[in-house]
Amino acid sequence: MPFNTQGYSMKYWKMAGLAATILLVLTFPVYLLRVAGSMANAEKVEAVYFTGRESCGECHKKEFDLWAGSHHDMAMDSATENSVLGNFNNFEFVCRGHTHRLYKKNGMFFVNTQGPDGNFSDFQVAYTFGYTPLQQYLVPFPGGRLQCLPLAWDSENNRWFHLADTMYGCNTVKPGDWLYWTGQAQNWNSMCADCHSTNIKKNFIPESNSYQTSWSEIDVSCEACHGPASAHIEWAALPEDARPGHVNAGLLVKTKELNNREQLNICVRCHSRRSVSGDFDHRHPELLEYMVPQLAIPPEYHIDGQINDEVFVYGSFVQSKMFENDVKCSDCHDVHSLKTKDNSNGLCLQCHRPDIYNSPEHHFHQLPDDGGQVFLSNRLKPDYVKGSGSQCVNCHMAGKYYMGNDYRRDHSFRVPRPDLSVRLGTPNACNDCHTDKSAAWAQTYIQKWYGIKIRGHYGETFAMARKGDPGALPLLTLYAENELFPLMIRATAVHLLAGYSDSAAVAAIEKALDDPEALVRHSAVMGYRTSNALLYEKKMLPLLNDPVKAIRAEAAIRLSQVPGQVLGKASAKALKAALEEYKNNNLYMADFPGGQFNLGILYDNTGKPGLAENAYRQSLRIDPGFAQAKVNLAMLYNRQKKNNEAEKLLLEVLAENPAMVEINYSLALLYAEMEKYDKSRYCFIKTIEAEPLNSRALYNLGLLENSLGNTETAEKHLQNALKTEPQNFDFLYAMCTFYVQHKHKEKALHYSEKLKQLFPENPAGSQLLQAARKL
């Protein structure tokens, strides 16, 4: 069996894109029928425009007064004596050995701090950003950019602090780094603007690498949630008996008589961790038309779904029993002032019986003294105060500090699970207060109070799945398919199923491609893989007509290497349109390294290597440490026979990211193609040492050893690959050809018969069986 280095190197290394060989008739899944009506209505909306808050206050004074002074009202402002909270009275702030000076000049605010080159310079503060518990400051730069200063004002303790101290720990963020304050991670236009102002249009211009960002109001005003008000004002001007009753008072966004999901969809576009692919349009409420929420996976979340990184409520709330039981944001928060309606247990006792839940028999902690202050615990103030353990939020809404001093609670409303802390290393509410005790100690009290029975938790299944444990598959499949589980958990389960090549996992993902929930379908599109090209196209092609843009676009990039002439006219047209959406989505995100990276994939897959190389280079200009852009650029160079450049990039990635063991696999393939077989073998072995179940590494090392005449070693690796995936066509084919080549008749017959049995439609099994019989 000769070792074909050309086919060997690229078949499993490059981005997926499969050749079409058959014309398929598109089917229209049930979810398309469910949403078609709402989409049609959206297209009928006449042009409306934003009118500003002044047009709202006269008729809606109560709501306007509640909003005034709220976090929405104070989300952003011009820097003036009234809006600036920080001490700019020629104040010197010393941090990490450097002295920063904050001062005023001619009624304007300035800071002397390190600039883009690392040298100290003076910068004018143009805008305030936020109000409490901290206020940040925005500095204008060429190209329409606004950058967030790393110096922030603690408005609760009246002090300056450096965000790097609280966000990056001991790491030093240097000029040129993605995270440095003049870098893209701290850029207002792309990272902050859409949630701190009204009617934001980012207007990034890739050609000049500049912005023409605009807004209708500088803060989060009435129309940010209610939509443009021009038609509403016209409706309100009509005599009361002449007002049409079917037009939602002329507003695009319905805000009355909403169920919890409808209301949450108004809030989620800002109160979520997400990727954004376009300016928000109130006419299209489907989330995945303009954004994709972050799934509940590490590092953004702990493995059991608790918040870890800054995720902004949505992903935790939709995991909760509260959400599943129709609780909505406005049950706890005033939608105009944003304040919590009650800071005591009374908030929860709106629904939960006080005689059961507001008693020591439930929480087993002391009640506060009459009239005494209730202490709401947090991780910076672990000292126990009498009564804190009796407060619902302290046990069921543990939290974490972000941005240095902003304490935010987990909205999954979970039962404390110190037992999961013991097994999974996740946090729990008990040890938030009892920091001097262990999770095992806390679990003994949980069992004493509530019994020894322990419920299973999806976090345990997810932890197994992250390790590739096949024992997780049954429950992962259950979570993915059963609509009774929380949406976020279902979508996350589909994402984790993609880590398995088992036929049951593939079947579960195939089923999820037709799920009524867009987020589940999106996870399925992102994770679906099969070695059967015809089946892949059959499953993906209908999604080019999905009602949700994010799904159409992701299906398109995965079919982008299919020649249009073999798809048929209708499919080719759908693919072209969806690829244009994918392109536009990523042009919108072209100020992010990921946007340029995705454009590079698009151009590479559609035969535009020059544009692809430029896009990958632009991605690395924005974030020089973006490893995957270097990997894909190396792949591009490999296909252009620039293997020395490819090798240099991959070695660079491995040096910068030693934990990325998969780079050894890429290097192994590259060295095999370069006929540097000793180096190839070394990198394959390093891969297998780190990932013993990496079947592709085992398989390809087996092919390499066989080509070098090391038949005994080759057989061992090929057998191990097949043990990992017993029904893999390539691995079975390799075993058959290996035994035919080396004239092991009985084994050749055994594996050839198995290949024919598992893949009866493929003639390879019959052909190899005939060859084996002739041995």
Side-chain angles (χ1 to χ4, degrees), residues 542-563:
L543 296 169
L544 296 174
N545 293 288
D546 193 280
V548 176
K549 182 170 69 171
I551 295 169
R552 295 193 299 269
E554 290 298 338
I557 193 61
R558 283 156 176 76
L559 294 168
S560 56
Q561 289 182 309
V562 178

